[in-house]
Amino acid sequence: MAKDNSEKLIANNKKAYHDYFIDETYEAGIQLAGTEVKSLRMGQCSIKEAFVGIDDDEIYVYHMHINPYERGNIFNKDPLRTRKLLMHKNEIIKLFNQSKEKGYTLVPLKVYFKNGRVKLLVGLARGKKNYDKREDIKKKDQTREAEREFKLRLR
């Protein structure tokens, strides 16, 4: 039987795209318990307040909220527990060296299923200034106005 290569989005971090310039992205697996996977299949996840850190050559995601599985009873874990990310050692070292540079940080961008496995997209990001955010808002408004005018012309 052929594998399904589709990706099913669970959670997206729109705030990260608003607050940071994303320079590079890396895909990582997540070490989870069984009830957490079941909860993720129901879409019970939030990464708005989450961040990524590197400790002792291992990479972790902090404050990623996965709601407890409703039928999980004693097997449920703490919703905000620290979860280990699964990446190659050379990628972790590369990320660690790049994140030490001034102004760079690691942020989780989205959580999704890929080939039946839970993946987390980690972004190497630089912080935006307020004027950068205002420029992005202006661009979005201009494209929105252009789309409205295009729709009105089609009528």
Side-chain angles (χ1 to χ4, degrees), residues 14-21 125-129 133:
K14 293 180 183 178
K15 186 177 179 185
Y17 290 103
H18 182 262
D19 291 342
Y20 300 101
F21 292 113
R126 285 181 293 124
K128 282 186 182 179
K129 304 287 186 202
K133 293 177 189 177

Side-chain angles (χ1 to χ4, degrees), residues 4-8 27 112-119:
D4 184 22
N5 289 332
S6 64
E7 291 183 3
K8 181 188 172 206
E27 184 179 69
Y112 55 94
F113 280 104
K114 183 177 181 181
N115 297 333
R117 303 195 189 272
V118 180
K119 301 290 183 178

